[in-house]
Amino acid sequence: MKLLIVYGTKSGASKECAYFLSTELSGATLLDIEQQQPNIAEFSHVIIGAGVRNDKMYKPIRDFLKNQIELLSKTVACYLCNSKPKTTEQVIVDSISKAVREASIEITSFGGYKPSWVPISEENKLKGIDLDKISEFAKNFIEYI
């Protein structure tokens, strides 16, 4: 089993969540989508994380998801960092294809930074993020490993 956690972030919330997830899912490869495009073929399990601004998933991850038919043959889960819980379902529908949504074992939001909180300092870098929800997500994902 090879696990990839690929994330896209503008304010850093998705990155912090990816790092937190990697402590719960040992052996995961972390990849910032803006630093490098992942070779999905190398992995059997993929977690995709993205920030949300103005009710839109971060564009580099949206673009990545549009061209990833290969994801359908993987164990996939997605998370968002969205500070507006009421918009999460619509963001998911608007940003993630139906095929990927149906193939995903879970798609959820861990919360997110409100614009007034950015930039986040080291001591409150996870402010607005639900760490218990990340742990639950990891536990659910482990069942598929």
Side-chain angles (χ1 to χ4, degrees):
M1 184 280 310
K2 284 189 73 176
L3 169 61
L4 171 67
I5 301 174
V6 59
Y7 63 89
T9 189
K10 188 162 186 126
S11 63
S14 297
K15 177 181 178 180
E16 295 302 330
C17 291
Y19 277 87
F20 190 87
L21 263 175
S22 73
T23 65
E24 308 245 339
L25 300 166
S26 63
T29 298
L30 294 174
L31 194 137
D32 181 341
I33 195 78
E34 290 193 293
Q35 302 296 317
Q36 178 182 350
Q37 288 292 316
N39 180 356
I40 296 298
E42 295 177 12
F43 300 92
S44 56
H45 296 68
V46 181
I47 296 174
I48 303 152
V52 175
R53 285 253 176 114
N54 300 319
D55 300 330
K56 291 185 180 177
M57 185 185 285
Y58 193 50
K59 186 171 178 1
I61 291 290
R62 269 194 340 253
D63 292 346
F64 168 74
L65 285 169
K66 285 179 189 173
N67 302 312
Q68 290 301 324
I69 306 267
E70 193 169 1
L71 279 175
L72 303 179
S73 66
K74 309 295 180 180
T75 301
V76 177
C78 304
Y79 70 87
L80 303 177
C81 293
N82 185 7
S83 65
K84 300 189 300 188
K86 291 180 182 176
T87 67
T88 298
E89 284 305 315
Q90 192 60 49
V91 170
I92 290 168
V93 169
D94 291 346
S95 303
I96 303 173
S97 72
K98 182 178 180 183
V100 173
R101 289 193 316 266
E102 289 175 351
S104 295
I105 59 173
E106 185 172 357
I107 303 174
T108 194
S109 175
F110 297 151
Y113 301 157
K114 296 194 183 304
S116 61
W117 297 345
V118 178
I120 302 298
S121 65
E122 189 62 31
E123 56 272 0
N124 72 346
K125 65 184 177 183
L126 290 170
K127 182 177 180 179
I129 302 298
D130 187 337
L131 299 180
D132 291 335
K133 204 164 193 180
I134 297 174
S135 292
E136 181 182 325
F137 180 90
K139 284 178 188 153
N140 292 342
F141 196 82
I142 286 171
E143 292 178 21
Y144 293 87
I145 294 177

